[in-house]
Each structure stands twice: as C-alpha cells, then as structure tokens.
Amino acid sequence: MIYFKKIAYPGKYQDDSAIPQLLGYIMRQDKTPHCLIGAVNIDNPVNPAESMIAVSEKYGKYSRIRLHHFILTFDSSLNESYELIMKIARSIAFEIGKLYQIVYSVHEDTEHIHIHFVFNAVSFVTGKKYHGGKTEYGELIQLCSNVLSQAGLFPLIPVNYHPDPLDIQHSDE
C-alpha cells in the first residue's frame, strides 16, 4: 500500500522563511543519502527557494500560503527499487510542474521510504494560486493514483495528517 499525506493546517507555510526552511528540510543529506532529489521548472537548482520566491514576487502573491507539501509513503512490504520510486516521483512532478514549480525528494531515513513533494502555491504560467480545496485535493490524489497504477502499484490511501502546529520539527510518519 501507498499512503498519501497532505501536510496542511492553519498557519502552516505562511511566513517568510517557509519556502527555504521546508526545501532545506526535504533535501537534507542525512534523509537522502542517495541524493534522490529532483525539481521541475526551477531556474536555480542550487537554491530552489530563490526561484520559487521570485515567481511569487513577480505576480505579487507573496503572502499567506507560500507552498504546498504532500508525501507518498510506501509500505515496507512493497520493497520497490529506488529507480521505480524516482520514476514515480518524476512523473508526478512533471505533471504538477506544467503549472507550478516543484521540488521532490526521496527520504530513506525511516523504515518506510517516502517521497516529499513541495510545490509553489503560485503558478509560474498563470500567476494564479493553488488553493488546495476539495476539487484540487481530489485532482492531486487522482494524479498520484494514476501514476502509481501505471507502475503497477496500488491502492493509494489518503491519510489525514495534521501534526501539532506547535511542533517545530517536521514529522515523516
């Protein structure tokens, strides 16, 4: 089984440091020892936060929610290859990347391998914000389900995930 977790709760990812902090977290070397990291439509791969902030500022939408974050967690019984997991990550990121800048990273530091996806709330194409309402949430789950099904992996199980907003550390599980 694969679990879909959208990381969202009131006040999350709304401050000036949200983008660099979260991208710094998902790209930490201790979490990604095989450097399984990628990005789509990021002008500066060395500093992807700078690219995302530039798009937000270009459209005058550098306020409120700055980015969106979700995780796909693979049940340890699946025992999938890193190559397949990266192919899945790239496919999902490519689709989201048609409208939004996105960075993804495969974390290997827990029993369950998982992929973090972080995308800019502001479309670099239209300048409109992704709000993450019910329709958009459903489309995101459907996109992930389709990619996983094409890889022969299913089912995708959406999990409500709302960590304590006072918890400064990010939790993967």
Side-chain angles (χ1 to χ4, degrees), residues 16 18 36 60 154:
D16 288 339
L36 303 173
F154 45 83

Side-chain angles (χ1 to χ4, degrees), residues 74-141:
F74 295 79
D75 188 294
S76 58
S77 66
L78 291 177
N79 199 24
E80 297 303 329
S81 71
Y82 289 135
E83 183 179 331
L84 178 59
I85 290 173
M86 275 301 281
K87 182 178 178 185
I88 290 166
R90 276 190 221 103
S91 295
I92 292 168
F94 177 77
E95 289 301 317
I96 294 169
K98 290 177 180 177
L99 289 174
Y100 301 93
Q101 297 166 300
I102 184 165
V103 177
Y104 57 92
S105 175
V106 177
H107 281 200
E108 311 165 60
D109 63 328
T110 65
E111 179 183 340
H112 304 286
I113 291 176
H114 52 283
I115 310 167
H116 284 264
F117 295 89
V118 176
F119 64 98
N120 196 343
V122 179
S123 170
F124 70 93
V125 176
T126 66
K128 294 182 179 180
K129 285 191 95 170
Y130 179 98
H131 295 287
K134 278 186 176 184
T135 300
E136 290 171 317
Y137 179 73
E139 290 169 352
L140 189 57
I141 290 173

Side-chain angles (χ1 to χ4, degrees), residues 7-19:
I7 313 300
Y9 52 84
K12 190 72 174 164
Y13 308 137
Q14 293 186 9
D15 60 67
D16 288 339
S17 62
I19 295 173

